[in-house]
Amino acid sequence: MRAFLHDLRLALRSLLRAPGFTAAAMLTLALGVGATAALFSVTRQLLLGRLPYPQADRILSVQESMRGRPFSFSHQTLCEWRDQAGSFEALGGYRSTGMNLTGLGDPLVLRGARVTAGFFEALRIHPALGRLFTRADEAAGASDKAVVAWSFWRERLGGDPAAVGRILTLNGRPTELIGVLPEGFVTPFGRGEDLFKIEPDAHTDNQRGNHSFQAIGRLRDGVVLAQAQAELKALAARTAEAHPDSNAGGGALAEPLRTALTREGRGPLLFLLGATGLLLLIACVNVTNLFLARAAARERDMAVRLALGAGRGELFRQFLSEALLVSAGGALLAGIFALVLIRGLEPLLLRGAPAALIQGGLRLSGAAWGVSLALALVCAFGVALAPALQADRLRLREVLAEGGRGLTALRGLRFRRALVAAQVGLCLVLVLATALFTRSLLWIEGRDPGFRPEGRLAFQVHLPDQDYPKEAQDDQFFRELQARLQVIPGVQSVSAATILPFSGSHSATVVGLDADLDARATAAVEADLNIVLPGWFETLGTPLRAGRYPTPADLQDGTRRIWISESLARRLVPGQDPLGRTMHCGVCTETTPDNPPLVVTGVLADLHERNLDRPAEDRFWVLQSQYPSGTMSLVLRTGASPEALRGPVKEALRSLDPRIPLGDIDRLQTLLDRSLRGRRSVTSLLGGFTLLALLLAVVGIQGVVAFQVAQRNREIGIRMALGAEIRQVVGLILGQGLRLAAWGLAGGVLASLALARLIASQVPGVLPLDPLSLAAALATLTAAALLASLLPAFRAARVDPMIALRSE
């Protein structure tokens, strides 16, 4: 131990005498170790961290399916399965919705959700005040009840314990507040809801075809996932047999809640973690090269020590002591860098992530600190081993002989070249990955969403159920609001729909042709439903492929009409004209006076309303007069800003009903950009790590080329004395740098192609073998090698032949 402490003191003095080398080595290690520790901590938290629910590993995400494709639940089916599924301790559903709150000052639009009994039980949540929902609360005829979030109770209700039992006016209906949720509670799929209402059976009659609930279930003790899946499959078969009109071909899917929450982000996070691993390897190679160059400069000193009786083990201890001190300093800086990086990652990675995974924000975990120290130690031993092996091959007589010019260092140069070549190969992998992700992002951004988001503003309106009890009143209100908004200066057109593109909401159901009702099991297909006012497609700018757009006359002639997307037309009537065909949606039963058919009146271009990176969803549209809805999103085509139009829009809304609040006015372009935020963040982070890797590769190449120039100083002097021109000397040195890069590129191409296949299977818009991306990566590394060689080349060109020859 005493000898080790002595070595550390010597190493510290040695490093302090070379501050440039010490700072470069520590900073290089800090970049690699810090980035890896930060991404390790983020990945561990998001993919493996504890969910904020007791025994969260027992919670499953449950979905209906249609021919193997996931499908949200209808309320009736969910309640039936909940009552029959013995594998679950609790099973409940959730759907996000906005709600109007009146009677507490100015009217407000709340972020709310409707839930079924069993939802909070599945999460094992206990109220901070009052109670939660029971099955009696959702029975037909039960009064409306709600529970509120802790933050809402504190901010809007003053934190008054007596608030439990109070009557709130939600959507115009008196609603009893029965409980307050615990502080910090978040739903697995939620968006920071203020309030939750129970979904009464009486409000969902004849809605088995309306799929809008996400479901979670808690397994009973002793029950495993396979048992629950088998039972759900049997329940799906039983439901399909009992209700062939709406559930034929249906099934069930169940998976751990964590798997469902992390499905979208798992692949990108693992790619980023792999990228930081490559960055760490490149950093270690760079530091090893720095130590090798330092060892080469101290070659004669090492030879003297060996000649005086020092053992080679003592030399290794010296290198190890220096490497440990550098690694310790690098680990400390890495921790600081990791903290800064995590703070910078928060706005990039947390937007849109499930709240259950990011409660409290991103943190640098204790495990990440441990990983930092472990990586630093591994790097220290690896870095110390290379110069120790080089010292072990020292030939004392050659080094100590007069006129010896670092022959051992020249032999060690081959190893340094190999390290730099490996560094270039690793960097090629990163550059190609970034090129592929960038190509994919550009492909996604270049896709036509099927509408024009530019110059479109949107806001949502919720009509109070109590004040608008008749469906015809809903239709009349929104038609009058449309007319009043249309005359606002600067507004070119106005329309409304229940679902906004890229709002995160959707309403799935099944549709089928009347002619195929006898073959329901194969004819019905799942599709997204949207309820619109006339002018919707013109306001959005959606192209018409066949037929015509909706007109105000369609509201009066008594014919129920339907507009379908191209993709749905191909599925329902492949190779045929769908215009004039009759269809049913939701519950595909026989035609009755109360359930007349829908006539296909138009075919619209495919719309991407959820994700631009996937095929367009099958969808169809019906008019508000046919399926009145009390919640609609208004879209205005205008060149004005949201701030400029807020006053006139609020006045138009107030003139119709002053009790209805106006929520946020968003740009459709903002909603579209929000859907791309995750991919843009991943691509930006990957690009940042790649730039760091390129910088380290440039430094590595420059160091080796500069060392070669120093060793060939006499040769260059002779060449110039014999008449060599500057451009020839510069070309000679640049050629050395390019050959060095070529070795690395040749070795990295195979690894890069293998990675390209993996990336192409995970991201859309790129081929397994993308010549353009590969060519761009190769060109980038070649340019980096040229850049790295320029400074040594210009230094070589300025060599004075007389000084070079005299120094020899």
Side-chain angles (χ1 to χ4, degrees), residues 56-64 70-71 73 88 91-92 122-123 188-189 213-219 225 228-229 232 252-263:
D57 59 314
R58 305 290 296 168
I59 304 176
L60 301 183
S61 170
V62 184
Q63 293 177 291
E64 284 192 86
F71 219 41
F73 269 98
F88 293 92
L91 182 67
L123 298 174
F189 311 103
F213 277 85
Q214 295 174 288
I216 57 172
R218 177 176 290 274
L219 293 175
L225 176 60
Q229 287 176 321
L232 291 172
L253 299 173
E255 60 184 347
L257 177 61
R258 175 176 297 283
T259 303
L261 293 177
T262 58
R263 181 182 296 107

Side-chain angles (χ1 to χ4, degrees), residues 331-373:
L332 180 62
L333 293 175
I336 299 173
F337 177 61
L339 286 172
V340 173
L341 184 58
I342 281 186
R343 294 283 78 81
L345 289 177
E346 276 193 323
L348 293 177
L349 296 181
L350 296 193
R351 294 171 182 168
L357 296 174
I358 58 174
Q359 198 173 27
L362 296 179
R363 300 174 298 277
L364 188 62
S365 64
W369 286 105
V371 166
S372 298
L373 292 175

Side-chain angles (χ1 to χ4, degrees), residues 171-214:
N171 288 348
R173 295 178 63 89
T175 304
E176 181 186 0
L177 175 59
I178 63 171
V180 177
L181 292 166
E183 186 176 8
F185 168 75
V186 293
T187 59
F189 311 103
R191 304 168 186 171
E193 293 83 354
D194 299 308
L195 181 143
F196 299 81
K197 284 190 70 174
I198 192 75
E199 184 77 14
D201 284 338
H203 292 182
T204 56
D205 291 340
N206 302 318
Q207 293 295 313
R208 190 178 294 274
N210 183 8
H211 297 253
S212 58
F213 277 85
Q214 295 174 288

Side-chain angles (χ1 to χ4, degrees), residues 450-508:
F451 66 95
R452 305 274 71 80
E454 306 86 2
R456 271 76 175 179
L457 305 181
F459 63 94
Q460 197 172 59
V461 172
H462 309 277
L463 297 185
D465 300 336
Q466 190 79 1
D467 299 328
Y468 297 83
K470 297 181 180 180
E471 293 181 340
Q473 291 177 294
D474 296 338
D475 179 47
Q476 183 64 29
F477 176 90
F478 285 111
R479 287 164 62 185
E480 289 184 7
L481 180 59
Q482 180 184 27
R484 297 192 184 201
L485 294 174
Q486 183 69 65
V487 298
I488 294 176
V491 174
Q492 300 165 22
S493 65
V494 180
S495 192
T498 52
I499 305 294
L500 269 181
F502 296 98
S503 63
S505 302
H506 74 281
S507 180

Side-chain angles (χ1 to χ4, degrees), residues 289 413 416-417 420 700-709 740:
N289 252 325
L413 183 60
R416 293 185 62 195
R417 288 172 177 165
V420 171
I701 294 172
Q702 185 179 24
V704 171
V705 173
F707 182 80
Q708 288 176 316
V709 169
L740 195 60

Side-chain angles (χ1 to χ4, degrees), residues 489-575:
V491 174
Q492 300 165 22
S493 65
V494 180
S495 192
T498 52
I499 305 294
L500 269 181
F502 296 98
S503 63
S505 302
H506 74 281
S507 180
T509 187
V510 291
V511 292
L513 294 172
D514 281 349
D516 297 322
L517 286 176
D518 293 333
R520 296 186 184 101
T522 57
V525 299
E526 69 280 8
D528 283 355
L529 162 67
N530 206 352
I531 301 169
V532 301
L533 289 178
W536 176 250
F537 303 112
E538 298 94 316
T539 300
L540 278 190
T542 301
L544 182 71
R545 299 304 190 209
R548 61 174 177 81
Y549 288 128
T551 66
D554 293 321
L555 306 175
Q556 310 295 334
D557 66 1
T559 301
R560 286 159 52 93
R561 303 184 185 279
I562 186 172
W563 285 259
I564 63 177
S565 65
E566 285 184 287
S567 60
L568 182 57
R570 287 191 294 269
R571 289 186 68 190
L572 288 174
V573 285

